[in-house]
Structures are given as C-alpha cells and as structure tokens.
C-alpha cells in the first residue's frame, strides 16, 4: 500500500509515503514518526521506496538520487541520516534545532541550505523552516514547524523525468522555487488588507484596533522580509558559483528563483511603505481634527469672553463709576456686547475657525 506524503495544505502531521520494494530485494519503506518519504530515482524515474538504512546501497549508483523527506525528526533519526550520508556534525546540529537564519553552507562536496517558509493562519503569518542536505546522489529535507507538504514538489518532479534526471540540484531548485511561490499568497492577502485600511483612513478616522493592526502587519512584514532577503544570496550563489552537481541549465533555473525572491522583496518593501504612509496619514488626520476642534473652542471662548469681561467690570460695585448713572447705559452696554460678539463671530467664520 502506498501512503502519500500529504496534501498541499496546512497540516502539522502527514501520512507516511512509501510502497513496498520487494522487487528490489530490500526491506519495506520507513513507517516510523518523522519519516515522510524515502524514495530512489534513477534517470529521473522513481524506482522504489526504501528504508533510510538502505540509502547507502543506492546513493553511489550512477544517475541515481535518494530523496528523503523528514518532518521534525528526533535526534536518533538525524543520527541515522548522518551515518548514511556522512553529513557534517555542525549541519546536523543546526537541522535538529529550528530558528536558523536562511543560509547556504558547503561541507566538502555537500551543501546545507536553510530556508524559511511562510503561510497565513488566522490572519497572521506563521513561519516554518526547511533544512536541506544536498550531495552526490542524495537530497534530505528536514521540515520544522507548520508548512505545506512537499508532496506537490515530488509529484511535479516525477511528472518531468527528463528534468529530474539532472539530479539532486534540480530537486533543490524545485523545493526552493516551491517555498518562494508560497510567499506570494501571503503577500496577496496582506496586500488586500492594506488596501482596505488605506481606503478607510481616507473615509473615516481609524480606531485603536485599526492602528494596532497596522503595527502588527508592519512587524509581520519585517519578519517576512528577514526570511526572504537572505534567500537572494542563497539563490545567487547557485546562479554564479560552481557548486557540486551544478550545470548550465540549473544556473538559469536558480536565476529565475532569484528574480522571484527579489520581486517578493520589492512587494514587501512597498507594502511596508504603504503601511507607514497609512499610519502617518491617520496621525495627520487625527491632528487635523484636534486642531479644528481647538480652533472652534478658542473662537467661542473669545466670543464669550466679551460679555464676561464687561459684566466683570460692572460687577465690581464701586461707588464712583461714570457709567452707573447713565439713563440708557444698560441698553448701550447690551448693544456694545452684541456688536462686538457679532464682529468676532464673522471674523472667525471668515477665517474658517467656525
């Protein structure tokens, strides 16, 4: 019975892919936790599934590649993989712990590549990691955290035997290309939310929750940028350097991945700028509204200050005040108050303070 590596979805656990290899005279495929797939490909065609302990029997054969997929393996499983492929201890140590920075390291005739994956879950960006061991006749992928299964990558490669015949570095290209392609839906979802916030800030004042969301989005984009930017250097090194197993066709493919990564980086930078402008526009609109309210309050305070000042003067109860004995003094004061207040009102209205 064949068990597939998993569907292209956001899953923490996958079924184990494999089928019996009685035709090859070997033991059946791995079924223990952490092993997602272990298969042998010769001249671009899948030969059989194997247990990891039989990898050394295949990896030295001509035009043969052992492709193993692991998900959060334990120390014992990593130690077995290290023995089978003679992997460097430092690379194994890094593969056993997540939170590594994207990078490319060369150990003799083998490469160790770290890439960060990103997916949207509940409106937030969730990050994972993929560690890749690539050497003559083998590819070992180690996934940490939630991420899409690489079963789709395996299916695409198996559907193109001529391309898969280029060997382990073509598999590395396919996985990196898949990781970069999965950045695009994340960018698109954030872009839609940013556009909505940008339109709202022009129609109405953003509340506290909206401002907090602006900050969270900008912080998430910064984390995504930190995951994407180092991949530019990783792909560029594949594009220009004579790495183990690389040929001219693969240089062109990695150049294409580099272009995709740079495009994603440009989109991230653009979104971060839009978020910054949106936040600044929200602050400016809020300050403008506060200034307008302050002007209105100051205008009405000036208008009300006139009768207050006059009433205060005539409320001092001095005996000798020249206007106290005027026959029409009361009506004159009322008229003076009305004229001054009307003049002030028209002045502030003309100045658009009211």
């Amino acid at each position: 019975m064949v068990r597939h590596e998993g569907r292209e979805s956001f899953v923490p656990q996958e079924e184990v892919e494999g089928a019996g290899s009685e035709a090859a005279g070997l033991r059946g495929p791995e079924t223990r936790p952490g092993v997602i797939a272990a298969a042998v490909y010769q001249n671009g065609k899948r030969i059989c599934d194997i247990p990891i302990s039989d990898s050394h029997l295949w990896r030295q054969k001509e035009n043969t590649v052992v492709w193993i997929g692991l998900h959060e393996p334990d120390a014992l499983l990593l130690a077995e993989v290290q023995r089978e492929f003679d992997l460097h201890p430092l690379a194994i140590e890094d593969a056993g712990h997540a939170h590594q920075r994207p990078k490319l390291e060369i150990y003799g005739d083998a490469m160790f590549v770290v890439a960060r994956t990103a997916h949207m879950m509940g409106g937030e960006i969730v990050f994972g990691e993929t560690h890749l061991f690539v050497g003559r006749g083998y590819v070992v992928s180690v996934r940490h955290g939630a991420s899409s299964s690489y079963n789709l990558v395996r299916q695409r490669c198996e559907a193109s035997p001529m391309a898969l015949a280029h060997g382990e570095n073509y598999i590395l290209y396919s996985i990196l290309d898949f990781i970069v392609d999965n950045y695009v839906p994340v960018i698109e979802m954030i872009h839609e939310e940013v556009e909505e916030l940008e339109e709202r800030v022009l129609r109405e004042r953003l509340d506290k929750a909206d401002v907090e969301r602006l900050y969270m989005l900008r912080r998430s984009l910064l984390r995504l940028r930190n995951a994407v930017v180092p991949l530019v250097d990783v792909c560029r090194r594949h594009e220009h350097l004579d790495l183990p197993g690389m040929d001219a066709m693969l240089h062109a493919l990695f150049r294409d991945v580099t272009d995709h990564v740079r495009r994603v980086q440009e989109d991230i930078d653009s979104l971060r700028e839009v978020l910054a402008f949106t936040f600044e526009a929200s602050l400016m609109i809020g300050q403008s509204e506060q200034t307008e309210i302050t002007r209105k309050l100051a205008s009405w305070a000036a208008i009300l200050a006139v009768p207050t000042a006059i009433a205060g003067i005539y409320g001092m109860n001095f005996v000798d005040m020249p206007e106290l004995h005027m026959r029409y003094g009361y009506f004159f004061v009322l008229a003076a108050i009305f004229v001054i207040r009307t003049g002030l009102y028209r002045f502030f209205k003309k100045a658009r303070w009211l």
Side-chain angles (χ1 to χ4, degrees), residues 119-160:
H119 302 271
M120 293 297 293
M121 177 180 289
E124 300 294 335
I125 303 179
V126 180
F127 294 92
E129 284 187 27
T130 296
H131 300 178
L132 299 166
F133 298 92
V134 183
R136 184 178 180 275
Y138 68 89
V139 175
V140 179
S141 65
V142 181
R143 293 191 291 122
H144 289 279
S147 65
S148 293
S149 170
Y150 294 150
N151 183 54
L152 181 59
V153 180
R154 193 179 291 267
Q155 292 175 358
R156 290 175 179 174
C157 291
E158 292 175 356
S160 304

Side-chain angles (χ1 to χ4, degrees), residues 230-246:
L231 278 182
V232 176
D233 180 64
V234 171
C235 297
R236 188 170 59 247
R237 293 180 65 183
H238 283 88
E239 178 185 342
H240 296 291
L241 297 182
D242 294 329
L243 298 176
M246 197 67 63

Side-chain angles (χ1 to χ4, degrees), residues 185-225:
V186 176
I187 297 296
E188 290 177 348
M189 293 183 67
I190 294 180
H191 187 269
E192 292 178 359
E193 187 171 0
V194 170
E195 281 189 341
E196 181 181 353
L197 289 172
E198 189 179 15
E199 292 178 358
R200 284 184 56 192
V201 76
L202 299 177
R203 297 194 309 264
E204 57 186 90
R205 184 178 179 181
L206 299 182
D207 55 21
K208 182 180 178 182
D210 293 328
V211 175
E212 291 178 353
R213 184 58 181 167
L214 282 173
Y215 173 77
M216 294 298 296
L217 286 174
R218 201 160 189 268
R219 188 178 68 173
S220 297
L221 284 173
L222 178 60
R223 294 181 60 195
L224 182 60
R225 189 181 189 278

Side-chain angles (χ1 to χ4, degrees), residues 16 30 43 83 94 112 191 195 222 287 298 316 332:
V16 178
E30 298 283 359
N43 293 318
R83 290 193 301 269
D94 288 344
F112 177 62
H191 187 269
E195 281 189 341
L222 178 60
Q287 292 175 355
M316 291 186 292
F332 175 78

Side-chain angles (χ1 to χ4, degrees), residues 5-311:
E5 182 179 350
R7 295 182 175 84
E8 187 187 7
S9 59
F10 210 74
V11 290
Q13 299 290 337
E14 296 101 337
E15 295 182 349
V16 178
E17 179 186 29
S21 54
E22 293 81 0
L26 301 173
R27 291 176 294 165
E30 298 283 359
T31 57
R32 55 180 164 168
V35 181
I36 305 304
V40 176
Y41 298 86
Q42 193 170 57
N43 293 318
K45 296 182 180 179
R46 186 167 185 157
I47 303 301
C48 61
D49 294 344
I50 62 171
I52 293 178
S53 57
D54 289 342
S55 299
H56 66 280
L57 301 175
W58 293 93
R59 57 177 291 231
Q60 299 299 334
K61 292 186 177 183
E62 191 70 21
N63 299 324
T64 302
V65 177
V66 177
W67 185 356
I68 296 176
L70 307 177
H71 182 260
E72 297 185 351
D74 55 25
L76 294 177
L77 181 55
L78 284 176
E80 182 178 356
V81 172
Q82 180 183 8
R83 290 193 301 269
E84 288 294 318
F85 299 103
D86 193 24
L87 302 178
H88 197 279
L90 292 178
I92 288 293
E93 182 180 356
D94 288 344
H97 302 83
H99 310 294
Q100 298 292 324
R101 188 177 185 273
K103 60 183 178 180
L104 166 63
E105 295 179 347
I106 301 177
Y107 298 98
D109 60 350
M111 291 183 293
F112 177 62
V113 179
V114 178
R116 299 291 302 276
T117 60
H119 302 271
M120 293 297 293
M121 177 180 289
E124 300 294 335
I125 303 179
V126 180
F127 294 92
E129 284 187 27
T130 296
H131 300 178
L132 299 166
F133 298 92
V134 183
R136 184 178 180 275
Y138 68 89
V139 175
V140 179
S141 65
V142 181
R143 293 191 291 122
H144 289 279
S147 65
S148 293
S149 170
Y150 294 150
N151 183 54
L152 181 59
V153 180
R154 193 179 291 267
Q155 292 175 358
R156 290 175 179 174
C157 291
E158 292 175 356
S160 304
M162 293 184 62
L164 186 55
H166 285 274
E168 56 275 358
N169 281 288
Y170 180 80
I171 298 175
L172 172 61
Y173 151 75
S174 300
I175 294 177
L176 290 179
D177 186 59
F178 181 76
I179 291 174
V180 174
D181 286 344
N182 280 336
Y183 291 147
V184 177
V186 176
I187 297 296
E188 290 177 348
M189 293 183 67
I190 294 180
H191 187 269
E192 292 178 359
E193 187 171 0
V194 170
E195 281 189 341
E196 181 181 353
L197 289 172
E198 189 179 15
E199 292 178 358
R200 284 184 56 192
V201 76
L202 299 177
R203 297 194 309 264
E204 57 186 90
R205 184 178 179 181
L206 299 182
D207 55 21
K208 182 180 178 182
D210 293 328
V211 175
E212 291 178 353
R213 184 58 181 167
L214 282 173
Y215 173 77
M216 294 298 296
L217 286 174
R218 201 160 189 268
R219 188 178 68 173
S220 297
L221 284 173
L222 178 60
R223 294 181 60 195
L224 182 60
R225 189 181 189 278
N226 293 336
V228 169
V229 171
L231 278 182
V232 176
D233 180 64
V234 171
C235 297
R236 188 170 59 247
R237 293 180 65 183
H238 283 88
E239 178 185 342
H240 296 291
L241 297 182
D242 294 329
L243 298 176
M246 197 67 63
D247 57 33
M249 190 206 77
L250 296 179
H251 283 163
L253 293 178
F254 280 104
R255 187 180 304 115
D256 182 66
V257 178
T258 303
D259 292 339
H260 291 172
V261 176
R262 285 174 174 166
R263 191 176 303 116
V264 171
Q265 178 185 347
E266 291 174 357
D267 292 340
I268 293 173
D269 292 338
S270 298
L271 286 175
R272 294 185 72 239
E273 289 182 5
V274 172
L275 285 173
F277 292 152
T278 303
F279 182 73
E280 292 175 1
S282 176
L283 290 179
M284 292 177 64
I285 291 174
Q287 292 175 355
S288 176
E289 292 178 352
Q290 291 178 359
T291 302
E292 184 178 356
I293 294 174
T294 302
R295 288 177 176 177
K296 289 182 179 180
L297 293 176
S299 301
W300 286 114
I303 294 174
L304 294 175
V306 174
T308 303
I310 296 176

